[in-house]
Amino acid sequence: RVARLTEKEILQGRPANQVVVCLRSAQGVTPDNIYYLRDQKELGLPETVLRVMADEKRQRVTVFTERLARFVKIELPGEMLTFSDNYFDLLPGTSRTIEIGHLEGKEVTFDELRVSALNASLTEYD
């Protein structure tokens, strides 16, 4: 155990349904762990806009958000597709690049690419 904090210490007077806790390795050797202090139905998620940069040549998609984005989902019709990540949360001001592939090594077209999040009011594609 590294530390023990009470909810009151974490919140510092903010509403619990609007706080996200991110535990991060100081050396960056493990992925971030994101925790919500209330159940999904009680969260006060801010509306956000997703910015998506699709690089079909390199077979990857980068998603950026200015505000917290909950359950970012990447969809492409087709069979045997692989995604390096999917259904993830993005903290404010962060991005994530997802590698997309095909199990048989075929080229994947991004014509019908869709990216969404529970609290995304709009998705902008570049």
Side-chain angles (χ1 to χ4, degrees):
R1 179 177 297 167
V2 176
R4 181 179 282 218
L5 300 170
T6 66
E7 187 172 280
K8 184 177 180 179
E9 291 172 311
I10 293 169
L11 293 176
Q12 299 178 5
R14 293 179 294 244
N17 70 336
Q18 295 179 9
V19 172
V20 176
V21 177
C22 178
L23 299 180
R24 179 173 287 150
S25 165
Q27 292 79 27
V29 295
T30 61
D32 291 352
N33 285 299
I34 298 174
Y35 297 94
Y36 297 87
L37 302 178
R38 294 297 178 261
D39 289 335
Q40 176 68 33
K41 65 182 178 182
E42 298 171 7
L43 294 179
L45 297 172
E47 249 186 40
T48 192
V49 173
L50 299 176
R51 286 202 333 250
V52 178
M53 294 173 48
D55 186 342
E56 195 167 332
K57 183 177 179 183
R58 292 185 173 160
Q59 299 283 273
R60 64 184 180 193
V61 173
T62 301
V63 184
F64 175 81
T65 183
E66 288 288 342
R67 295 184 173 163
L68 173 75
R70 181 83 165 125
F71 290 136
V72 175
K73 176 173 71 169
I74 300 172
E75 297 176 277
L76 266 174
E79 296 178 358
M80 301 175 66
L81 299 180
T82 61
F83 300 85
S84 61
D85 201 355
N86 211 348
Y87 298 97
F88 53 88
D89 294 351
L90 279 178
L91 294 173
T94 64
S95 66
R96 184 163 305 175
T97 298
I98 309 304
E99 305 290 332
I100 299 174
H102 191 280
L103 289 175
E104 295 178 341
K106 295 178 183 176
E107 198 73 13
V108 178
T109 61
F110 290 6
D111 296 340
E112 297 181 54
L113 174 70
R114 254 187 85 218
V115 181
S116 61
L118 283 182
N119 59 319
S121 60
L122 179 67
T123 302
E124 298 173 347
Y125 296 89
D126 290 332

